[in-house]
Amino acid sequence: MTPRRRRRRHGCPAILVGITGSIGVGKSTALAAFRSSGARVLDADDDARAVVRPGGRTLRAISDAFGSDLIAPDGTLRRGTLAERVFGKPLLVERLNQITHPAIRRRLRRRILRLCADSPADSVIAVEIPLLFESGLESWFDTVVVIGADRQTQIHRLVNRDACSAEVAAIRITAQWSFERKAELADLVVNNNGSLRKFERSIQLLCRNLVEARRTASQE
Protein backbone atom coordinates (compact mmCIF):
# COMPACT_ATOMS: atom_id res chain seq x y z
CA MET A 1 0.00 0.00 0.00
CA THR A 2 3.02 2.33 -0.16
CA PRO A 3 3.22 4.09 -3.53
CA ARG A 4 6.40 4.89 -5.36
CA ARG A 5 7.85 8.30 -4.66
CA ARG A 6 6.86 10.81 -7.32
CA ARG A 7 9.18 13.74 -8.00
CA ARG A 8 7.76 16.79 -6.28
CA ARG A 9 7.16 19.79 -8.54
CA HIS A 10 4.84 21.95 -6.49
CA GLY A 11 6.72 23.11 -3.37
CA CYS A 12 3.81 22.37 -1.01
CA PRO A 13 5.02 21.22 2.43
CA ALA A 14 2.07 18.82 2.81
CA ILE A 15 1.63 15.53 0.98
CA LEU A 16 -0.54 16.21 -2.05
CA VAL A 17 -2.65 13.26 -3.18
CA GLY A 18 -4.70 13.25 -6.37
CA ILE A 19 -7.71 10.93 -6.45
CA THR A 20 -9.19 9.91 -9.79
CA GLY A 21 -10.95 7.08 -11.59
CA SER A 22 -13.89 6.37 -13.84
CA ILE A 23 -17.52 7.10 -13.07
CA GLY A 24 -19.18 5.00 -10.38
CA VAL A 25 -16.02 3.64 -8.76
CA GLY A 26 -16.29 5.50 -5.46
CA LYS A 27 -14.02 8.53 -5.77
CA SER A 28 -16.17 10.61 -3.41
CA THR A 29 -16.24 7.74 -0.93
CA ALA A 30 -12.45 7.65 -1.06
CA LEU A 31 -12.30 11.39 -0.46
CA ALA A 32 -14.56 11.04 2.57
CA ALA A 33 -12.32 8.26 3.90
CA PHE A 34 -9.29 10.49 3.51
CA ARG A 35 -11.13 13.18 5.46
CA SER A 36 -11.99 10.78 8.27
CA SER A 37 -8.30 9.81 8.38
CA GLY A 38 -7.33 13.39 9.13
CA ALA A 39 -6.56 14.64 5.63
CA ARG A 40 -7.74 17.99 4.35
CA VAL A 41 -9.76 17.48 1.19
CA LEU A 42 -10.88 19.30 -1.94
CA ASP A 43 -13.25 18.26 -4.73
CA ALA A 44 -12.68 19.66 -8.23
CA ASP A 45 -16.40 19.25 -8.94
CA ASP A 46 -16.96 22.17 -6.56
CA ASP A 47 -14.77 24.29 -8.83
CA ALA A 48 -16.55 23.00 -11.95
CA ARG A 49 -19.84 24.22 -10.48
CA ALA A 50 -18.42 27.52 -9.27
CA VAL A 51 -16.96 28.60 -12.61
CA VAL A 52 -20.36 28.41 -14.31
CA ARG A 53 -22.07 30.64 -11.78
CA PRO A 54 -24.74 32.98 -13.19
CA GLY A 55 -23.36 36.03 -14.94
CA GLY A 56 -19.82 34.68 -15.07
CA ARG A 57 -17.49 34.81 -18.05
CA THR A 58 -17.30 31.03 -18.41
CA LEU A 59 -21.07 30.66 -18.50
CA ARG A 60 -21.32 33.35 -21.17
CA ALA A 61 -18.72 31.52 -23.26
CA ILE A 62 -20.69 28.27 -22.96
CA SER A 63 -23.85 30.06 -24.01
CA ASP A 64 -22.12 31.59 -27.03
CA ALA A 65 -20.65 28.24 -28.09
CA PHE A 66 -23.55 25.89 -27.43
CA GLY A 67 -26.72 27.96 -27.37
CA SER A 68 -28.45 30.51 -25.16
CA ASP A 69 -31.17 27.98 -24.34
CA LEU A 70 -28.68 26.35 -21.96
CA ILE A 71 -29.27 29.23 -19.55
CA ALA A 72 -32.32 28.77 -17.33
CA PRO A 73 -34.60 31.72 -16.46
CA ASP A 74 -32.83 32.11 -13.11
CA GLY A 75 -29.49 32.50 -14.90
CA THR A 76 -28.11 29.07 -13.99
CA LEU A 77 -26.68 26.53 -16.41
CA ARG A 78 -28.92 23.69 -17.54
CA ARG A 79 -26.21 21.14 -16.84
CA GLY A 80 -28.26 18.12 -17.90
CA THR A 81 -29.14 19.71 -21.23
CA LEU A 82 -25.52 20.60 -21.88
CA ALA A 83 -24.41 17.06 -21.06
CA GLU A 84 -26.97 15.64 -23.51
CA ARG A 85 -25.87 18.09 -26.21
CA VAL A 86 -22.19 17.16 -26.12
CA PHE A 87 -22.35 13.49 -25.10
CA GLY A 88 -20.82 11.17 -27.67
CA LYS A 89 -19.52 14.10 -29.73
CA PRO A 90 -15.74 14.36 -29.17
CA LEU A 91 -15.34 17.68 -30.95
CA LEU A 92 -18.04 19.31 -28.83
CA VAL A 93 -16.61 17.79 -25.66
CA GLU A 94 -13.18 19.15 -26.56
CA ARG A 95 -14.67 22.61 -27.22
CA LEU A 96 -16.44 22.55 -23.85
CA ASN A 97 -13.24 21.47 -22.10
CA GLN A 98 -11.33 24.31 -23.74
CA ILE A 99 -13.83 26.75 -22.24
CA THR A 100 -14.17 25.29 -18.76
CA HIS A 101 -10.92 23.55 -17.85
CA PRO A 102 -8.63 26.60 -17.64
CA ALA A 103 -11.02 28.33 -15.24
CA ILE A 104 -11.45 25.17 -13.17
CA ARG A 105 -7.69 24.63 -12.95
CA ARG A 106 -7.04 28.21 -11.85
CA ARG A 107 -9.65 28.08 -9.12
CA LEU A 108 -8.60 24.64 -7.89
CA ARG A 109 -4.94 25.65 -7.89
CA ARG A 110 -5.70 28.68 -5.73
CA ARG A 111 -7.60 26.53 -3.24
CA ILE A 112 -4.77 23.99 -3.06
CA LEU A 113 -2.21 26.73 -2.44
CA ARG A 114 -4.32 28.19 0.35
CA LEU A 115 -4.38 24.81 2.09
CA CYS A 116 -0.66 24.33 1.50
CA ALA A 117 0.11 27.66 3.14
CA ASP A 118 -1.00 26.45 6.59
CA SER A 119 -0.45 22.68 6.40
CA PRO A 120 2.48 20.93 8.14
CA ALA A 121 4.88 18.68 6.25
CA ASP A 122 3.47 15.43 7.63
CA SER A 123 -0.14 16.24 6.77
CA VAL A 124 -2.14 15.05 3.75
CA ILE A 125 -4.17 17.10 1.29
CA ALA A 126 -6.37 14.87 -0.89
CA VAL A 127 -7.94 16.27 -4.06
CA GLU A 128 -10.59 14.49 -6.10
CA ILE A 129 -10.27 15.25 -9.82
CA PRO A 130 -12.30 13.01 -12.15
CA LEU A 131 -10.34 14.11 -15.25
CA LEU A 132 -6.93 14.35 -13.59
CA PHE A 133 -4.97 12.49 -16.27
CA GLU A 134 -7.09 13.82 -19.12
CA SER A 135 -6.22 17.34 -17.93
CA GLY A 136 -2.51 16.57 -17.49
CA LEU A 137 -2.49 17.47 -13.79
CA GLU A 138 -0.46 14.54 -12.44
CA SER A 139 2.62 16.75 -11.89
CA TRP A 140 0.66 18.67 -9.24
CA PHE A 141 0.76 15.70 -6.86
CA ASP A 142 3.15 13.59 -4.85
CA THR A 143 0.92 10.55 -5.30
CA VAL A 144 -1.90 9.86 -7.75
CA VAL A 145 -4.41 7.23 -6.62
CA VAL A 146 -6.79 5.59 -9.08
CA ILE A 147 -9.93 4.08 -7.60
CA GLY A 148 -11.09 0.98 -9.45
CA ALA A 149 -14.17 -1.23 -9.58
CA ASP A 150 -15.31 -3.95 -11.95
CA ARG A 151 -17.66 -2.92 -14.74
CA GLN A 152 -20.75 -4.61 -13.33
CA THR A 153 -20.23 -2.88 -9.99
CA GLN A 154 -19.94 0.46 -11.76
CA ILE A 155 -23.11 -0.17 -13.73
CA HIS A 156 -25.01 -1.22 -10.62
CA ARG A 157 -23.93 1.91 -8.77
CA LEU A 158 -24.83 4.24 -11.63
CA VAL A 159 -28.25 2.66 -12.08
CA ASN A 160 -29.00 3.12 -8.38
CA ARG A 161 -27.45 6.58 -8.11
CA ASP A 162 -28.73 8.20 -11.29
CA ALA A 163 -31.90 6.16 -11.93
CA CYS A 164 -30.69 5.34 -15.44
CA SER A 165 -30.82 2.09 -17.36
CA ALA A 166 -27.95 -0.39 -17.39
CA GLU A 167 -27.49 0.36 -21.10
CA VAL A 168 -27.10 4.09 -20.48
CA ALA A 169 -24.72 3.42 -17.59
CA ALA A 170 -22.55 1.21 -19.81
CA ILE A 171 -22.42 3.86 -22.52
CA ARG A 172 -21.33 6.50 -20.00
CA ILE A 173 -18.56 4.25 -18.70
CA THR A 174 -17.32 3.40 -22.19
CA ALA A 175 -17.17 7.10 -23.11
CA GLN A 176 -14.47 7.69 -20.47
CA TRP A 177 -10.84 6.64 -20.29
CA SER A 178 -10.62 2.97 -19.33
CA PHE A 179 -9.57 1.81 -15.90
CA GLU A 180 -6.56 0.06 -17.47
CA ARG A 181 -5.34 3.28 -19.07
CA LYS A 182 -5.60 5.22 -15.83
CA ALA A 183 -4.07 2.41 -13.78
CA GLU A 184 -0.96 2.43 -15.97
CA LEU A 185 -0.41 6.10 -15.11
CA ALA A 186 -1.22 5.83 -11.41
CA ASP A 187 1.15 5.56 -8.47
CA LEU A 188 -1.36 3.37 -6.67
CA VAL A 189 -4.64 1.61 -7.43
CA VAL A 190 -7.23 0.93 -4.72
CA ASN A 191 -10.04 -1.43 -5.68
CA ASN A 192 -13.56 -0.76 -4.44
CA ASN A 193 -15.41 -3.95 -5.27
CA GLY A 194 -16.05 -5.16 -1.73
CA SER A 195 -17.67 -3.74 1.36
CA LEU A 196 -17.64 -0.09 2.26
CA ARG A 197 -15.79 -0.83 5.50
CA LYS A 198 -13.05 -2.75 3.68
CA PHE A 199 -12.59 0.11 1.23
CA GLU A 200 -12.45 2.69 3.99
CA ARG A 201 -9.80 0.66 5.82
CA SER A 202 -7.72 0.53 2.63
CA ILE A 203 -7.82 4.30 2.32
CA GLN A 204 -7.01 4.79 6.01
CA LEU A 205 -4.01 2.48 5.68
CA LEU A 206 -2.86 4.33 2.59
CA CYS A 207 -3.10 7.65 4.41
CA ARG A 208 -0.99 6.33 7.31
CA ASN A 209 1.60 4.90 4.92
CA LEU A 210 1.93 8.21 3.11
CA VAL A 211 2.64 10.04 6.36
CA GLU A 212 5.09 7.39 7.56
CA ALA A 213 6.92 7.45 4.21
CA ARG A 214 7.24 11.23 4.37
CA ARG A 215 8.60 11.10 7.92
CA THR A 216 11.10 8.41 6.95
CA ALA A 217 12.22 10.37 3.90
CA SER A 218 12.75 13.51 6.01
CA GLN A 219 15.13 11.58 8.25
CA GLU A 220 17.27 10.24 5.41
Side-chain angles (χ1 to χ4, degrees):
M1 292 293 295
T2 301
R4 70 175 183 263
R5 189 180 301 173
R6 181 182 288 267
R7 187 170 69 177
R8 295 167 57 81
R9 300 179 184 177
H10 50 71
C12 179
I15 306 163
L16 282 180
V17 180
I19 301 170
T20 192
S22 184
I23 189 171
V25 297
K27 298 183 297 295
S28 296
T29 302
L31 193 69
F34 267 101
R35 181 189 290 112
S36 67
S37 299
R40 306 177 76 178
V41 302
L42 295 172
D43 185 347
D45 279 345
D46 294 337
D47 301 283
R49 287 186 287 268
V51 300
V52 293
R53 63 188 182 277
R57 181 169 53 188
T58 301
L59 186 57
R60 289 196 298 273
I62 292 173
S63 175
D64 291 342
F66 298 98
S68 60
D69 62 309
L70 291 173
I71 311 301
D74 62 358
T76 59
L77 175 64
R78 301 184 195 270
R79 297 172 66 91
T81 304
L82 176 61
E84 292 175 0
R85 190 160 297 177
V86 305
F87 184 78
K89 301 172 183 175
L91 292 179
L92 293 185
V93 171
E94 178 60 25
R95 176 58 181 148
L96 178 61
N97 290 344
Q98 289 173 351
I99 293 171
T100 59
H101 282 191
I104 294 169
R105 284 196 296 267
R106 286 193 298 270
R107 191 177 189 278
L108 178 61
R109 185 68 171 172
R110 287 195 298 268
R111 293 207 296 153
I112 291 173
L113 291 176
R114 283 198 292 269
L115 285 186
C116 287
D118 63 351
S119 296
D122 60 352
S123 63
V124 174
I125 298 173
V127 187
E128 180 189 343
I129 308 179
L131 301 181
L132 187 151
F133 291 122
E134 295 89 329
S135 302
L137 301 182
E138 50 266 54
S139 65
W140 285 18
F141 300 96
D142 299 302
T143 299
V144 175
V145 179
V146 166
I147 308 301
D150 64 64
R151 188 178 181 88
Q152 284 307 117
T153 298
Q154 285 181 265
I155 291 173
H156 177 74
R157 289 172 180 162
L158 288 178
V159 168
N160 288 332
R161 189 190 74 185
D162 298 343
C164 63
S165 68
E167 291 75 17
V168 168
I171 291 171
R172 292 172 65 187
I173 293 168
T174 302
Q176 299 188 333
W177 279 25
S178 69
F179 164 75
E180 290 77 15
R181 185 176 182 182
K182 293 190 176 189
E184 287 179 358
L185 298 171
D187 297 304
L188 189 68
V189 172
V190 180
N191 288 311
N192 184 21
N193 290 315
S195 69
L196 173 61
R197 184 57 190 148
K198 181 179 179 181
F199 181 60
E200 289 174 336
R201 284 199 299 266
S202 296
I203 297 297
Q204 290 163 1
L205 177 60
L206 169 59
C207 201
R208 288 198 300 270
N209 285 345
L210 289 169
V211 172
E212 290 172 4
R214 169 61 64 82
R215 289 172 178 168
T216 299
S218 68
Q219 296 170 0
E220 294 177 352

